[in-house]
Amino acid sequence: AGWLAPGDLPQLTPGVGAWHATDVDQMRLPGTQCEGVDLTTVPGASKRSQRTFLLTDDPRAPQGFGVDQAIYTFGSQQAAQAFTSQVAGNISGCAQRTTTATVKQTGSSPAPASGAMFLVDQKTNPTTSVRFRVAIVRRGADVTYLLANPSPAYDLADGVFAGLANRASDRQRLDLQPVDDAVDRAELTRCRGI
């Protein structure tokens, strides 16, 4: 289904930590509060699913540090692009709509995929804020949404998070396209860890 594998996610402390994936039966994805849509009931998506990756065995990691991945399947590439553009535009304009958000676009997906990555800080009170890294990437009629919950002291670098989002796009490609030749078959086998 185009899922990331635990081995796709980076170790933030070299040589320490292990990622564990859990499929979520009932989607519960609050997002950053900038998306402007209910990520659990996206209209037009024929399929919605979520997987949560949690980092364990890294004493530097904040409690519950992880990455959520949601995959949405639409009836057409145009519908998937419209959703991607809507969410990316809503996140990008969030700071203009609310005084609690600070938003910085940190990357974009190379063709043939399309999408963007953001760093979002949401104030919870005058002295405290919560940090998110978020990506929305479309490939074909599928859209992947990624949400990480770092802290200022324990965070993925912009390029590392962009690489993770682009890897998710690669996973969509490998899941969607038919395997025609030995090169594609070898790449599919390597990426799926078979």
Side-chain angles (χ1 to χ4, degrees):
W3 294 113
L4 289 167
D8 293 331
L9 287 99
Q11 291 178 312
L12 276 71
T13 304
V16 177
W19 287 97
H20 301 277
T22 302
D23 289 333
V24 177
D25 293 331
Q26 182 75 25
M27 283 189 79
R28 53 182 184 275
L29 196 59
T32 66
Q33 304 304 304
C34 285
E35 291 79 1
V37 297
D38 180 349
L39 295 166
T40 64
T41 60
V42 173
S46 60
K47 184 177 175 188
R48 299 174 271 301
S49 48
Q50 179 182 349
R51 183 171 284 177
T52 297
F53 297 88
L54 292 176
L55 181 64
T56 61
D57 302 324
D58 184 343
R60 290 187 52 234
Q63 180 73 21
F65 176 75
V67 175
D68 285 309
Q69 179 182 14
I71 298 176
Y72 304 95
T73 300
F74 290 85
S76 69
Q77 181 173 317
Q78 292 77 15
Q81 184 59 50
F83 175 69
T84 301
S85 297
Q86 176 190 10
V87 172
N90 288 346
I91 294 170
S92 184
C94 189
Q96 287 75 43
R97 291 189 317 275
T98 177
T99 59
T100 61
T102 304
V103 177
K104 173 184 153 193
Q105 184 170 343
T106 59
S108 59
S109 295
S114 67
M117 300 88 199
F118 300 91
L119 178 66
V120 178
D121 287 303
Q122 281 280 13
K123 284 190 173 203
T124 55
N125 63 49
T127 60
T128 308
S129 63
V130 177
R131 174 164 283 186
F132 300 97
R133 288 210 177 257
V134 63
I136 183 127
V137 180
R138 181 209 49 86
R139 174 147 334 216
D142 284 341
V143 175
T144 290
Y145 172 90
L146 296 177
L147 177 71
N149 62 337
S151 69
Y154 193 87
D155 196 357
L156 298 112
D158 292 350
V160 171
F161 191 70
L164 183 62
N166 291 326
R167 180 63 176 148
S169 173
D170 289 344
R171 291 271 186 196
Q172 288 175 340
R173 176 185 64 82
L174 292 173
D175 196 58
L176 294 173
Q177 292 188 357
V179 179
D180 292 353
D181 60 17
V183 173
D184 283 344
R185 232 181 287 287
E187 178 67 4
L188 181 62
T189 301
R190 183 186 70 77
C191 290
R192 287 193 175 160
I194 298 172

